[in-house]
Amino acid sequence: MKQKPKNIAIIGSGLVGSLLAIYLKRYSHAITVFDRRPDIRTIEFSGRSINLAMSNRGWRALEEVGIAEEIKKIAIPLDKRAMHVHDRPVYFQRYGKEGEAIWSISRGILNRKMIDLAEQTGVTFKFNEKVWDVSLPDAKVYTGESEKSEWKAYQFDLIFGCDGAFSRVRHKMQRRSRFDYSQDFIDVGYKELTIPPNADGTHKLDKNSFHIWPRGKFMLIAMPNIDGSFTCTLFLPFEGDVSFEKLTTKNEAKAFFKTYFPNVRKEIENLTKDFFDNPTSAMVTMKCYPWTYWDKVALVGDSAHAIVPFYGQGMNAGFEDIFELDKLIKTHQNDWETIFATYQEIRKPNADAIATLSYRNFIEMSSKTADAKFLLQKKIEKRFSDKHPDKWIPVYSRVTFSERPYAEALAIGDRQEAIMHEIMQVANIADKWDSPEIERKILALLKP
């Protein structure tokens, strides 16, 4: 039995919307993608992007539709963190085992490529067409110039909301009874900066590393681009003693970078110009349920589960939504009500889990990576994992280098953290961290 072709609307031409269009087009559906914004292929980037970190879950979703190798051409593998700590030489922390890496990709370049690939399959894109309303029971989409202008109505069989954390589709679903919704902004914002390439086009920093300058309550990161540049992101509290609200003049911005990032400030292109030209953006965790309405409407990606970016899993989680949805389509064929109901039941616990893990990783990246006790704990974990790979896989590897459920990674990670808390209480742990005694104790604590 094959799927009966449907007329499908996808709201949002971002990464998730574009990939979903490629997936659904394989079933001979008519696909129309709406976006309120201009075609990203025709405009300059906005200066509010954080480079993406493609990992196993994302690659698996791209491989399923045969485009992974094409995307790798615009990505750079990163196999380690480069830690830039005050008054110390740069040191490196490997992410996983030999050959394991995350891949740095410019969001704008990837989005342009994904739209190209979707168009090549026959997907129709309607840019600068603002969706103002959605009729959930009969899958109608209403677009217009403004909320008060005359609207045009489009009739579809199915609608997918892929329009981000502030989704217009989800907004309509929120008005229904028993719809759970929450949003939680963290008090840290971010701003994009750039390190240009050397005159010969090479990278000024190690190009196969994720660079982090941890400074306690704030940090700077840098990820490489294929043109030799680095996209930098400054994460800083909105208010407080050291915050965006305190940096209102060029001199204040220069003094801030001289104090906290002296080894990189000269490399950042147009430092003060970029700092004041580029917007300061907020970060939100958004949770909701249900994600679907009957057999008519479904939310995918950030519109269902926006998370903060500190695990590099936002895009990967959205792509995994599509991969899992596609498995259900293959199983249930034309039964869209069952497809949608099962999809949200499977994905909701995992979306909640990666939201929790992402927030925790912000704490780890900004403050703990420069803490001696934390670094010792990681050394103990790595030694034990290397000796007993069947008994201990670090939570980062479970999230980044596997396709096991996020909820499983969270649960096992919590158990491992409880064990390590007990290990770190051992007297003189710094002197005997690599001893048989510590190894035996971890083995004993791992027993059910």
Side-chain angles (χ1 to χ4, degrees):
M1 188 171 83
K2 292 186 178 180
Q3 271 213 314
K4 179 182 176 184
K6 298 277 190 180
N7 187 20
I8 298 176
I10 295 174
I11 315 303
S13 69
L15 301 172
V16 168
S18 300
L19 182 60
L20 180 60
I22 293 169
Y23 263 78
L24 293 174
K25 193 63 185 172
R26 297 187 304 168
Y27 298 99
S28 299
H29 298 304
I31 311 293
T32 304
V33 181
F34 293 87
D35 203 303
R36 62 192 298 114
R37 303 165 301 176
D39 185 342
I40 193 173
R41 296 170 296 182
T42 66
I43 59 173
E44 291 292 319
F45 298 145
S46 66
R48 61 167 74 239
S49 176
I50 301 170
N51 265 33
L52 302 163
M54 187 84 74
S55 59
N56 285 35
R57 299 169 198 272
W59 289 123
R60 178 178 63 167
L62 299 182
E63 286 163 1
E64 177 66 20
V65 285
I67 61 175
E69 291 307 311
E70 189 71 15
I71 300 304
K72 282 187 176 178
K73 295 175 185 176
I74 55 173
I76 297 175
L78 313 180
D79 59 6
K80 58 192 175 298
R81 290 172 172 171
M83 305 303 301
H84 302 259
V85 180
H86 263 324
D87 304 321
R88 285 183 58 180
V90 178
Y91 66 93
F92 298 92
Q93 299 172 335
R94 288 214 166 266
Y95 275 124
K97 296 178 288 189
E98 192 68 33
E100 289 182 331
I102 60 175
W103 294 66
S104 173
I105 312 180
S106 160
R107 179 182 295 275
I109 291 173
L110 177 59
N111 204 166
R112 288 172 169 174
K113 185 67 175 176
M114 296 288 286
I115 293 171
D116 283 343
L117 293 170
E119 279 189 338
Q120 289 168 20
T121 68
V123 173
T124 299
F125 284 83
K126 289 184 175 290
F127 297 103
N128 292 308
E129 189 144 4
K130 299 174 183 177
V131 173
W132 293 105
D133 198 11
V134 174
S135 177
L136 302 176
D138 51 7
K140 278 186 179 176
V141 171
Y142 297 88
T143 69
E145 284 296 312
S146 71
E147 206 158 7
K148 295 184 178 179
S149 68
E150 186 176 341
W151 291 347
K152 182 176 180 180
Y154 293 90
Q155 177 69 63
F156 292 97
D157 298 312
L158 302 171
I159 297 171
F160 288 91
C162 303
D163 47 342
F166 304 103
S167 166
R168 175 68 61 169
V169 180
R170 190 194 65 245
H171 179 70
K172 185 60 184 274
M173 293 171 69
Q174 282 173 233
R175 299 180 190 178
R176 301 195 60 80
S177 176
R178 300 178 67 198
F179 187 95
D180 292 328
Y181 170 79
S182 69
Q183 66 178 30
D184 179 28
F185 285 91
I186 61 174
D187 61 3
V188 172
Y190 70 90
K191 190 179 287 286
E192 181 186 323
L193 302 165
T194 304
I195 294 177
N198 290 314
D200 63 358
T202 57
H203 293 82
K204 284 184 170 152
L205 305 171
D206 183 86
K207 80 167 192 175
N208 295 115
S209 295
F210 183 106
H211 294 265
I212 307 176
W213 290 259
R215 299 296 184 263
K217 292 184 178 179
F218 60 97
M219 66 177 172
L220 180 73
I221 66 170
M223 297 180 71
N225 299 307
I226 54 174
D227 66 356
S229 68
F230 281 83
T231 298
C232 302
T233 311
L234 174 66
F235 296 99
L236 187 68
F238 285 106
E239 296 93 16
D241 292 338
V242 182
S243 64
F244 281 117
E245 74 169 356
K246 297 292 186 183
L247 303 179
T248 58
T249 68
K250 289 184 177 181
N251 285 338
E252 287 171 345
K254 284 181 179 177
F256 167 77
F257 276 90
K258 185 176 182 180
T259 300
Y260 294 106
F261 307 107
N263 67 333
V264 76
R265 68 185 179 92
K266 292 179 182 178
E267 310 294 351
I268 297 178
E269 187 176 42
N270 297 321
L271 175 60
T272 53
K273 182 177 186 301
D274 279 359
F275 190 89
F276 292 104
D277 283 355
N278 291 346
T280 302
S281 301
M283 290 172 284
V284 65
T285 298
M286 190 285 300
K287 297 178 181 180
C288 70
Y289 200 77
W291 294 1
T292 65
Y293 180 86
W294 297 353
D295 59 348
K296 296 294 184 183
V297 181
L299 302 173
V300 185
D302 282 358
S303 61
H305 51 79
I307 60 176
V308 293
F310 302 109
Y311 229 114
Q313 287 295 305
M315 170 191 63
N316 291 287
F319 284 6
E320 190 172 67
D321 285 349
I322 298 168
F323 183 84
E324 295 296 335
L325 182 66
D326 186 63
K327 287 202 300 188
L328 295 169
I329 290 171
K330 290 185 172 78
T331 300
H332 299 290
Q333 296 294 326
N334 293 302
D335 186 357
W336 283 98
E337 194 161 0
T338 299
I339 291 167
F340 282 176
T342 311
Y343 156 71
Q344 65 183 4
E345 289 167 11
I346 290 172
R347 295 301 294 161
K348 170 65 173 171
N350 291 298
D352 289 349
I354 192 58
T356 298
L357 288 163
S358 295
Y359 181 75
R360 288 181 186 175
N361 213 42
F362 167 61
I363 304 301
E364 177 176 317
M365 288 171 68
S366 61
S367 55
K368 291 185 179 179
T369 45
D371 178 75
K373 190 173 181 181
F374 173 81
L375 294 174
L376 175 59
Q377 177 178 325
K378 291 301 172 188
K379 278 171 67 176
I380 297 170
E381 289 183 41
K382 185 174 189 315
R383 180 178 184 275
F384 186 83
S385 177
D386 288 345
K387 292 193 74 172
H388 303 278
D390 58 324
K391 291 182 171 62
W392 191 289
I393 300 172
V395 63
Y396 186 90
S397 294
R398 288 183 183 277
V399 169
T400 308
F401 303 123
S402 85
E403 293 91 29
R404 297 293 301 165
Y406 288 127
E408 179 183 281
L410 176 61
I412 293 173
D414 283 347
R415 184 173 178 229
Q416 289 177 341
E417 188 61 31
I419 290 171
M420 288 309 302
H421 178 76
E422 196 162 332
I423 293 297
M424 296 304 290
Q425 306 306 309
V426 173
N428 302 317
I429 184 63
D431 298 325
K432 53 186 177 183
W433 67 271
D434 57 350
S435 66
E437 174 195 342
I438 297 302
E439 182 180 347
R440 286 194 300 270
K441 187 170 180 63
I442 296 174
L443 285 168
L445 289 169
L446 277 169
K447 290 179 180 178

